[in-house]
PDB file of all heavy atoms in Angstrom:
ATOM      1  N   ALA A 121      67.175  57.977  61.322  1.00 92.00           N
ATOM      2  CA  ALA A 121      68.376  58.817  61.290  1.00 92.00           C
ATOM      3  C   ALA A 121      69.670  58.011  61.272  1.00 92.00           C
ATOM      4  O   ALA A 121      70.696  58.491  60.783  1.00 92.00           O
ATOM      5  CB  ALA A 121      68.384  59.762  62.496  1.00 92.00           C
ATOM      6  N   TYR A 122      69.630  56.771  61.808  1.00 93.00           N
ATOM      7  CA  TYR A 122      70.860  56.011  62.013  1.00 93.00           C
ATOM      8  C   TYR A 122      70.798  54.633  61.358  1.00 93.00           C
ATOM      9  O   TYR A 122      69.727  54.041  61.206  1.00 93.00           O
ATOM     10  CB  TYR A 122      71.127  55.826  63.511  1.00 93.00           C
ATOM     11  CG  TYR A 122      71.442  57.105  64.239  1.00 93.00           C
ATOM     12  CD1 TYR A 122      70.436  57.833  64.867  1.00 93.00           C
ATOM     13  CD2 TYR A 122      72.750  57.591  64.316  1.00 93.00           C
ATOM     14  CE1 TYR A 122      70.716  59.014  65.552  1.00 93.00           C
ATOM     15  CE2 TYR A 122      73.046  58.767  64.998  1.00 93.00           C
ATOM     16  CZ  TYR A 122      72.028  59.474  65.608  1.00 93.00           C
ATOM     17  OH  TYR A 122      72.319  60.644  66.282  1.00 93.00           O
ATOM     18  N   LEU A 123      71.977  54.125  61.025  1.00 91.00           N
ATOM     19  CA  LEU A 123      72.148  52.772  60.514  1.00 91.00           C
ATOM     20  C   LEU A 123      73.124  52.041  61.431  1.00 91.00           C
ATOM     21  O   LEU A 123      74.249  52.504  61.645  1.00 91.00           O
ATOM     22  CB  LEU A 123      72.723  52.810  59.095  1.00 91.00           C
ATOM     23  CG  LEU A 123      73.251  51.482  58.533  1.00 91.00           C
ATOM     24  CD1 LEU A 123      72.080  50.557  58.216  1.00 91.00           C
ATOM     25  CD2 LEU A 123      74.104  51.711  57.291  1.00 91.00           C
ATOM     26  N   LEU A 124      72.695  50.909  61.998  1.00 90.00           N
ATOM     27  CA  LEU A 124      73.603  50.122  62.829  1.00 90.00           C
ATOM     28  C   LEU A 124      74.590  49.407  61.911  1.00 90.00           C
ATOM     29  O   LEU A 124      74.229  48.470  61.200  1.00 90.00           O
ATOM     30  CB  LEU A 124      72.825  49.126  63.686  1.00 90.00           C
ATOM     31  CG  LEU A 124      73.668  48.238  64.604  1.00 90.00           C
ATOM     32  CD1 LEU A 124      74.596  49.065  65.487  1.00 90.00           C
ATOM     33  CD2 LEU A 124      72.772  47.347  65.463  1.00 90.00           C
ATOM     34  N   ASP A 125      75.840  49.865  61.915  1.00 91.00           N
ATOM     35  CA  ASP A 125      76.857  49.341  61.008  1.00 91.00           C
ATOM     36  C   ASP A 125      77.405  48.006  61.491  1.00 91.00           C
ATOM     37  O   ASP A 125      77.522  47.058  60.723  1.00 91.00           O
ATOM     38  CB  ASP A 125      77.986  50.367  60.868  1.00 91.00           C
ATOM     39  CG  ASP A 125      79.046  49.928  59.869  1.00 91.00           C
ATOM     40  OD1 ASP A 125      78.667  49.503  58.767  1.00 91.00           O
ATOM     41  OD2 ASP A 125      80.245  50.003  60.206  1.00 91.00           O
ATOM     42  N   ALA A 126      77.764  47.926  62.768  1.00 91.00           N
ATOM     43  CA  ALA A 126      78.362  46.688  63.278  1.00 91.00           C
ATOM     44  C   ALA A 126      78.463  46.725  64.792  1.00 91.00           C
ATOM     45  O   ALA A 126      78.516  47.791  65.413  1.00 91.00           O
ATOM     46  CB  ALA A 126      79.755  46.477  62.679  1.00 91.00           C
ATOM     47  N   ILE A 127      78.503  45.533  65.368  1.00 92.00           N
ATOM     48  CA  ILE A 127      78.854  45.356  66.779  1.00 92.00           C
ATOM     49  C   ILE A 127      80.252  44.755  66.814  1.00 92.00           C
ATOM     50  O   ILE A 127      80.483  43.659  66.284  1.00 92.00           O
ATOM     51  CB  ILE A 127      77.854  44.439  67.500  1.00 92.00           C
ATOM     52  CG1 ILE A 127      76.460  45.070  67.496  1.00 92.00           C
ATOM     53  CG2 ILE A 127      78.318  44.161  68.933  1.00 92.00           C
ATOM     54  CD1 ILE A 127      75.377  44.185  68.091  1.00 92.00           C
ATOM     55  N   VAL A 128      81.191  45.492  67.389  1.00 94.00           N
ATOM     56  CA  VAL A 128      82.581  45.049  67.489  1.00 94.00           C
ATOM     57  C   VAL A 128      82.840  44.665  68.945  1.00 94.00           C
ATOM     58  O   VAL A 128      82.652  45.471  69.853  1.00 94.00           O
ATOM     59  CB  VAL A 128      83.555  46.162  67.055  1.00 94.00           C
ATOM     60  CG1 VAL A 128      85.007  45.718  67.257  1.00 94.00           C
ATOM     61  CG2 VAL A 128      83.311  46.537  65.592  1.00 94.00           C
ATOM     62  N   THR A 129      83.255  43.432  69.165  1.00 95.00           N
ATOM     63  CA  THR A 129      83.448  42.910  70.517  1.00 95.00           C
ATOM     64  C   THR A 129      84.910  42.612  70.780  1.00 95.00           C
ATOM     65  O   THR A 129      85.556  41.895  70.013  1.00 95.00           O
ATOM     66  CB  THR A 129      82.628  41.622  70.723  1.00 95.00           C
ATOM     67  OG1 THR A 129      81.233  41.928  70.556  1.00 95.00           O
ATOM     68  CG2 THR A 129      82.849  41.051  72.115  1.00 95.00           C
ATOM     69  N   LEU A 130      85.423  43.176  71.862  1.00 95.00           N
ATOM     70  CA  LEU A 130      86.775  42.841  72.310  1.00 95.00           C
ATOM     71  C   LEU A 130      86.708  41.712  73.320  1.00 95.00           C
ATOM     72  O   LEU A 130      85.829  41.701  74.201  1.00 95.00           O
ATOM     73  CB  LEU A 130      87.461  44.061  72.941  1.00 95.00           C
ATOM     74  CG  LEU A 130      88.101  44.974  71.907  1.00 95.00           C
ATOM     75  CD1 LEU A 130      87.309  46.251  71.776  1.00 95.00           C
ATOM     76  CD2 LEU A 130      89.537  45.276  72.274  1.00 95.00           C
ATOM     77  N   VAL A 131      87.627  40.777  73.199  1.00 96.00           N
ATOM     78  CA  VAL A 131      87.685  39.621  74.090  1.00 96.00           C
ATOM     79  C   VAL A 131      89.080  39.559  74.704  1.00 96.00           C
ATOM     80  O   VAL A 131      90.083  39.543  73.987  1.00 96.00           O
ATOM     81  CB  VAL A 131      87.375  38.315  73.331  1.00 96.00           C
ATOM     82  CG1 VAL A 131      87.569  37.107  74.242  1.00 96.00           C
ATOM     83  CG2 VAL A 131      85.951  38.340  72.781  1.00 96.00           C
ATOM     84  N   ASP A 132      89.136  39.542  76.023  1.00 94.00           N
ATOM     85  CA  ASP A 132      90.379  39.509  76.790  1.00 94.00           C
ATOM     86  C   ASP A 132      90.895  38.068  76.823  1.00 94.00           C
ATOM     87  O   ASP A 132      90.346  37.222  77.526  1.00 94.00           O
ATOM     88  CB  ASP A 132      90.063  40.032  78.201  1.00 94.00           C
ATOM     89  CG  ASP A 132      91.220  39.923  79.184  1.00 94.00           C
ATOM     90  OD1 ASP A 132      92.205  39.225  78.887  1.00 94.00           O
ATOM     91  OD2 ASP A 132      91.127  40.530  80.258  1.00 94.00           O
ATOM     92  N   ALA A 133      91.952  37.783  76.047  1.00 95.00           N
ATOM     93  CA  ALA A 133      92.436  36.407  75.925  1.00 95.00           C
ATOM     94  C   ALA A 133      92.906  35.820  77.253  1.00 95.00           C
ATOM     95  O   ALA A 133      92.848  34.608  77.453  1.00 95.00           O
ATOM     96  CB  ALA A 133      93.573  36.351  74.904  1.00 95.00           C
ATOM     97  N   LYS A 134      93.339  36.672  78.170  1.00 93.00           N
ATOM     98  CA  LYS A 134      93.842  36.203  79.463  1.00 93.00           C
ATOM     99  C   LYS A 134      92.712  35.714  80.369  1.00 93.00           C
ATOM    100  O   LYS A 134      92.865  34.735  81.096  1.00 93.00           O
ATOM    101  CB  LYS A 134      94.615  37.338  80.145  1.00 93.00           C
ATOM    102  CG  LYS A 134      95.096  37.050  81.557  1.00 93.00           C
ATOM    103  CD  LYS A 134      96.223  36.051  81.582  1.00 93.00           C
ATOM    104  CE  LYS A 134      96.789  35.889  82.994  1.00 93.00           C
ATOM    105  NZ  LYS A 134      97.789  34.810  83.066  1.00 93.00           N
ATOM    106  N   HIS A 135      91.557  36.398  80.329  1.00 92.00           N
ATOM    107  CA  HIS A 135      90.488  36.111  81.285  1.00 92.00           C
ATOM    108  C   HIS A 135      89.207  35.593  80.638  1.00 92.00           C
ATOM    109  O   HIS A 135      88.237  35.297  81.348  1.00 92.00           O
ATOM    110  CB  HIS A 135      90.148  37.376  82.084  1.00 92.00           C
ATOM    111  CG  HIS A 135      91.308  37.932  82.860  1.00 92.00           C
ATOM    112  ND1 HIS A 135      92.059  38.999  82.412  1.00 92.00           N
ATOM    113  CD2 HIS A 135      91.854  37.549  84.044  1.00 92.00           C
ATOM    114  CE1 HIS A 135      93.011  39.258  83.299  1.00 92.00           C
ATOM    115  NE2 HIS A 135      92.913  38.403  84.280  1.00 92.00           N
ATOM    116  N   ALA A 136      89.179  35.473  79.311  1.00 94.00           N
ATOM    117  CA  ALA A 136      87.917  35.207  78.619  1.00 94.00           C
ATOM    118  C   ALA A 136      87.287  33.868  78.988  1.00 94.00           C
ATOM    119  O   ALA A 136      86.061  33.774  79.126  1.00 94.00           O
ATOM    120  CB  ALA A 136      88.128  35.271  77.101  1.00 94.00           C
ATOM    121  N   MET A 137      88.083  32.810  79.124  1.00 95.00           N
ATOM    122  CA  MET A 137      87.504  31.494  79.413  1.00 95.00           C
ATOM    123  C   MET A 137      86.675  31.537  80.687  1.00 95.00           C
ATOM    124  O   MET A 137      85.530  31.052  80.729  1.00 95.00           O
ATOM    125  CB  MET A 137      88.602  30.436  79.516  1.00 95.00           C
ATOM    126  CG  MET A 137      89.196  30.014  78.174  1.00 95.00           C
ATOM    127  SD  MET A 137      87.956  29.273  77.069  1.00 95.00           S
ATOM    128  CE  MET A 137      89.038  28.392  75.918  1.00 95.00           C
ATOM    129  N   ALA A 138      87.212  32.148  81.748  1.00 92.00           N
ATOM    130  CA  ALA A 138      86.478  32.239  83.009  1.00 92.00           C
ATOM    131  C   ALA A 138      85.284  33.178  82.877  1.00 92.00           C
ATOM    132  O   ALA A 138      84.198  32.897  83.398  1.00 92.00           O
ATOM    133  CB  ALA A 138      87.403  32.728  84.127  1.00 92.00           C
ATOM    134  N   GLN A 139      85.458  34.281  82.172  1.00 92.00           N
ATOM    135  CA  GLN A 139      84.356  35.240  82.003  1.00 92.00           C
ATOM    136  C   GLN A 139      83.199  34.609  81.242  1.00 92.00           C
ATOM    137  O   GLN A 139      82.031  34.807  81.587  1.00 92.00           O
ATOM    138  CB  GLN A 139      84.865  36.485  81.276  1.00 92.00           C
ATOM    139  CG  GLN A 139      85.812  37.328  82.123  1.00 92.00           C
ATOM    140  CD  GLN A 139      86.553  38.378  81.319  1.00 92.00           C
ATOM    141  OE1 GLN A 139      86.551  38.347  80.085  1.00 92.00           O
ATOM    142  NE2 GLN A 139      87.212  39.306  81.992  1.00 92.00           N
ATOM    143  N   LEU A 140      83.500  33.839  80.203  1.00 93.00           N
ATOM    144  CA  LEU A 140      82.451  33.181  79.420  1.00 93.00           C
ATOM    145  C   LEU A 140      81.753  32.104  80.239  1.00 93.00           C
ATOM    146  O   LEU A 140      80.557  31.854  80.048  1.00 93.00           O
ATOM    147  CB  LEU A 140      83.043  32.579  78.139  1.00 93.00           C
ATOM    148  CG  LEU A 140      83.510  33.598  77.098  1.00 93.00           C
ATOM    149  CD1 LEU A 140      84.331  32.911  76.006  1.00 93.00           C
ATOM    150  CD2 LEU A 140      82.321  34.331  76.479  1.00 93.00           C
ATOM    151  N   ASP A 141      82.485  31.469  81.150  1.00 91.00           N
ATOM    152  CA  ASP A 141      81.871  30.463  82.028  1.00 91.00           C
ATOM    153  C   ASP A 141      80.911  31.113  83.020  1.00 91.00           C
ATOM    154  O   ASP A 141      79.855  30.552  83.337  1.00 91.00           O
ATOM    155  CB  ASP A 141      82.948  29.715  82.822  1.00 91.00           C
ATOM    156  CG  ASP A 141      83.736  28.743  81.958  1.00 91.00           C
ATOM    157  OD1 ASP A 141      83.267  28.405  80.852  1.00 91.00           O
ATOM    158  OD2 ASP A 141      84.837  28.338  82.389  1.00 91.00           O
ATOM    159  N   GLU A 142      81.274  32.292  83.513  1.00 88.00           N
ATOM    160  CA  GLU A 142      80.578  32.874  84.665  1.00 88.00           C
ATOM    161  C   GLU A 142      79.550  33.955  84.326  1.00 88.00           C
ATOM    162  O   GLU A 142      78.633  34.194  85.112  1.00 88.00           O
ATOM    163  CB  GLU A 142      81.610  33.491  85.630  1.00 88.00           C
ATOM    164  CG  GLU A 142      82.573  32.479  86.228  1.00 88.00           C
ATOM    165  CD  GLU A 142      83.684  33.151  87.007  1.00 88.00           C
ATOM    166  OE1 GLU A 142      83.486  34.308  87.441  1.00 88.00           O
ATOM    167  OE2 GLU A 142      84.751  32.530  87.190  1.00 88.00           O
ATOM    168  N   HIS A 143      79.677  34.613  83.171  1.00 87.00           N
ATOM    169  CA  HIS A 143      78.862  35.806  82.944  1.00 87.00           C
ATOM    170  C   HIS A 143      78.072  35.727  81.639  1.00 87.00           C
ATOM    171  O   HIS A 143      78.646  35.625  80.547  1.00 87.00           O
ATOM    172  CB  HIS A 143      79.754  37.055  82.932  1.00 87.00           C
ATOM    173  CG  HIS A 143      80.499  37.258  84.208  1.00 87.00           C
ATOM    174  ND1 HIS A 143      79.906  37.735  85.351  1.00 87.00           N
ATOM    175  CD2 HIS A 143      81.805  37.015  84.523  1.00 87.00           C
ATOM    176  CE1 HIS A 143      80.808  37.794  86.325  1.00 87.00           C
ATOM    177  NE2 HIS A 143      81.963  37.356  85.846  1.00 87.00           N
ATOM    178  N   HIS A 144      76.752  35.808  81.788  1.00 85.00           N
ATOM    179  CA  HIS A 144      75.856  35.804  80.628  1.00 85.00           C
ATOM    180  C   HIS A 144      76.181  36.957  79.684  1.00 85.00           C
ATOM    181  O   HIS A 144      76.129  36.789  78.456  1.00 85.00           O
ATOM    182  CB  HIS A 144      74.406  35.912  81.116  1.00 85.00           C
ATOM    183  CG  HIS A 144      73.405  36.109  80.020  1.00 85.00           C
ATOM    184  ND1 HIS A 144      73.041  35.105  79.158  1.00 85.00           N
ATOM    185  CD2 HIS A 144      72.713  37.213  79.639  1.00 85.00           C
ATOM    186  CE1 HIS A 144      72.159  35.575  78.296  1.00 85.00           C
ATOM    187  NE2 HIS A 144      71.934  36.847  78.558  1.00 85.00           N
ATOM    188  N   GLU A 145      76.524  38.127  80.232  1.00 87.00           N
ATOM    189  CA  GLU A 145      76.812  39.293  79.385  1.00 87.00           C
ATOM    190  C   GLU A 145      77.986  39.023  78.452  1.00 87.00           C
ATOM    191  O   GLU A 145      77.967  39.425  77.272  1.00 87.00           O
ATOM    192  CB  GLU A 145      77.107  40.526  80.236  1.00 87.00           C
ATOM    193  CG  GLU A 145      75.919  41.075  81.003  1.00 87.00           C
ATOM    194  CD  GLU A 145      75.756  40.447  82.372  1.00 87.00           C
ATOM    195  OE1 GLU A 145      76.494  39.488  82.689  1.00 87.00           O
ATOM    196  OE2 GLU A 145      74.887  40.898  83.129  1.00 87.00           O
ATOM    197  N   ALA A 146      79.030  38.357  78.954  1.00 90.00           N
ATOM    198  CA  ALA A 146      80.188  38.044  78.115  1.00 90.00           C
ATOM    199  C   ALA A 146      79.789  37.139  76.955  1.00 90.00           C
ATOM    200  O   ALA A 146      80.259  37.294  75.822  1.00 90.00           O
ATOM    201  CB  ALA A 146      81.288  37.386  78.955  1.00 90.00           C
ATOM    202  N   GLN A 147      78.890  36.196  77.224  1.00 90.00           N
ATOM    203  CA  GLN A 147      78.414  35.306  76.174  1.00 90.00           C
ATOM    204  C   GLN A 147      77.609  36.076  75.123  1.00 90.00           C
ATOM    205  O   GLN A 147      77.761  35.851  73.919  1.00 90.00           O
ATOM    206  CB  GLN A 147      77.549  34.201  76.784  1.00 90.00           C
ATOM    207  CG  GLN A 147      78.290  33.308  77.766  1.00 90.00           C
ATOM    208  CD  GLN A 147      77.341  32.433  78.573  1.00 90.00           C
ATOM    209  OE1 GLN A 147      76.173  32.276  78.216  1.00 90.00           O
ATOM    210  NE2 GLN A 147      77.833  31.862  79.656  1.00 90.00           N
ATOM    211  N   GLU A 148      76.740  36.987  75.587  1.00 87.00           N
ATOM    212  CA  GLU A 148      75.928  37.778  74.658  1.00 87.00           C
ATOM    213  C   GLU A 148      76.816  38.678  73.794  1.00 87.00           C
ATOM    214  O   GLU A 148      76.547  38.871  72.603  1.00 87.00           O
ATOM    215  CB  GLU A 148      74.924  38.631  75.444  1.00 87.00           C
ATOM    216  CG  GLU A 148      73.835  37.849  76.136  1.00 87.00           C
ATOM    217  CD  GLU A 148      72.850  37.240  75.151  1.00 87.00           C
ATOM    218  OE1 GLU A 148      72.130  37.994  74.478  1.00 87.00           O
ATOM    219  OE2 GLU A 148      72.812  35.997  75.043  1.00 87.00           O
ATOM    220  N   GLN A 149      77.847  39.249  74.400  1.00 91.00           N
ATOM    221  CA  GLN A 149      78.752  40.132  73.651  1.00 91.00           C
ATOM    222  C   GLN A 149      79.413  39.387  72.505  1.00 91.00           C
ATOM    223  O   GLN A 149      79.585  39.933  71.407  1.00 91.00           O
ATOM    224  CB  GLN A 149      79.797  40.722  74.606  1.00 91.00           C
ATOM    225  CG  GLN A 149      79.214  41.738  75.569  1.00 91.00           C
ATOM    226  CD  GLN A 149      80.109  42.002  76.774  1.00 91.00           C
ATOM    227  OE1 GLN A 149      81.208  41.449  76.880  1.00 91.00           O
ATOM    228  NE2 GLN A 149      79.654  42.848  77.683  1.00 91.00           N
TER     229      GLN A 149
END
Side-chain angles (χ1 to χ4, degrees):
Y122 293 93
L123 167 72
L124 180 54
D125 184 48
I127 297 175
V128 176
T129 299
L130 276 108
V131 175
D132 174 347
K134 175 71 174 174
H135 301 100
M137 285 299 199
Q139 290 167 347
L140 291 168
D141 287 343
E142 297 172 23
H143 300 284
H144 172 73
E145 291 89 353
Q147 298 167 16
E148 291 290 294
Q149 289 162 2

